[in-house]
Amino acid sequence: MTEAATAVETLRLAGDTLELLDQRRLPLAVEWVRCNGAADSAEAIRAMVVRGAPAIGVTAAYGIALEAQRLAASAEEFGSRLEAAFAVLAASRPTAVNLFWALDRMRRVWNETGAAAPAAVAERLLAAAKAVHAEDVAANRALGEHGAALLPDGARVLTHCNAGALATAGHGTALGVVRSAVAAGKRISVIAGETRPFLQGARLTAWELQAEGIPVTLITDSMSGHLMARGEIDAVIVGADRVAANGDVANKIGTYMVAVLARNHGIPFYVACPLATIDHAVAEGSAIPIEERAPEEVTGFGGTQWAPAGVAARHPAFDITPAALVTALVTEVGVVTHPDARKLSALPGKASS
Ligand code: MRU
């Protein structure tokens, strides 16, 4: 089992089972969902048991590895069934590129096994999934260190959605920067936007920061402009689901609004993500697929409906923040100020994309 990086554990391997902290139930209940293959891992991603770009990628890698183990037991039609597992996972959610990055990586490992027996292939895939898991924690720790230098002592930091330990295999990206700054002795407080409609800020960011004793104040999304205008926010830091080759950022719906406000008030707007989140194959943000979720998540929540029955509603789950609004991109290999196509193409990973 890979060692947990923080007090908050998002996913863990227990024997031949992947255990996922059920993020639909937080903070009211701490429950685990168990997955043993590709179909249940894909369903957990689709249903938001596990969410956040890096955590989705790690889950997909384990989904393939566990499916290969299951299939190796009978060895019948191993190749075609494993192929189907890749398809079911790829169809789970469209925006976070880490999902496709992890599946590509698992496919490369599979290809390298050549004519090996199914059991040997399954072994290699499990080792690869464990590596994806461990590398995510390491990347977050590294980017946390780089990003921490950007935050002054006493900074009041606005974040949107949850880009914390819960969105990754551990430590977090945006909240990883906060954690690393706190570990370095800085007094940092977080202002968490609630993140309508799925409430990742209110339910998840508030919960995981509270669990670690990092000061957090919850606001509704509509309050951030007011606080910025009053000088109560020193920096904004968010995660990303996919960064286009030109530096445009897809992240949780509402991020773009915060970035525009930050620019208007001269507040730095930072994006923290591992290199796996940069999609060099997509030239600009407008080409990133945006997940459209059920309108019922807008007209109500958790069994309560507040909008009139039958009203039309929209639920695009992500938006695009143009690169021009990004003060810096924080990655595990360093900080890219004012990211653009030239700077991103010089980052490691471009050649293998
Ligand atoms: O719909 P979600 O909860 O999966 O969206 C998550 C986000 O938008 C995060 O900010 C992003 O994945 C970065 S997580 C380190």
Side-chain angles (χ1 to χ4, degrees), residues 24-35:
R24 300 167 304 181
R25 302 279 291 130
L26 289 174
L28 302 179
V30 175
E31 291 173 0
W32 294 82
V33 169
R34 291 173 179 76
C35 301

Side-chain angles (χ1 to χ4, degrees), residues 48 51-54 93 161-163 167 173 200 240-241 251-252 318:
M48 308 279 280
R51 31 66 51 198
R93 286 189 81 189
C161 193
N162 172 268
T173 57
Q200 289 93 332
D241 286 83
N251 193 50
K252 180 51 54 193
F318 299 93

Side-chain angles (χ1 to χ4, degrees), residues 5-8 10 54 136-151 157-186 188 190 204-205 208-209 212 214 236-240 270-274 330-332 335:
T6 38
V8 175
T10 306
D136 183 56
V137 178
N140 296 335
R141 286 198 178 283
L143 71 83
E145 295 286 317
H146 291 301
L150 299 169
L151 300 181
V157 181
L158 174 70
T159 191
H160 188 65
C161 193
N162 172 268
L166 288 168
T168 65
H171 199 66
T173 57
L175 297 188
V177 170
V178 168
R179 278 194 171 90
S180 296
V182 169
K186 291 180 181 174
I188 306 291
V190 174
L204 308 177
T205 296
E208 79 165 79
L209 291 177
E212 283 184 35
I214 297 174
V236 178
I237 184 156
V238 298
Y270 301 121
V271 176
C273 68
V330 182
T331 77
E332 66 269 43
V335 173

Side-chain angles (χ1 to χ4, degrees), residues 18-104:
L18 175 64
E19 298 184 335
L20 301 169
L21 182 58
D22 191 343
Q23 300 194 30
R24 300 167 304 181
R25 302 279 291 130
L26 289 174
L28 302 179
V30 175
E31 291 173 0
W32 294 82
V33 169
R34 291 173 179 76
C35 301
N36 296 99
D40 49 9
S41 299
E43 176 54 21
I45 294 170
R46 191 204 61 75
M48 308 279 280
V49 169
V50 62
R51 31 66 51 198
I56 290 172
V58 176
T59 301
Y62 277 126
I64 290 296
L66 296 179
E67 185 70 19
Q69 282 201 318
R70 265 168 25 92
L71 295 174
S74 69
E76 255 176 58
E77 297 171 35
F78 180 80
S80 59
R81 290 186 180 178
L82 195 54
E83 197 60 64
F86 276 91
V88 81
L89 280 158
S92 58
R93 286 189 81 189
T95 304
V97 76
N98 307 60
L99 170 72
F100 307 100
W101 174 89
L103 290 175
D104 283 352

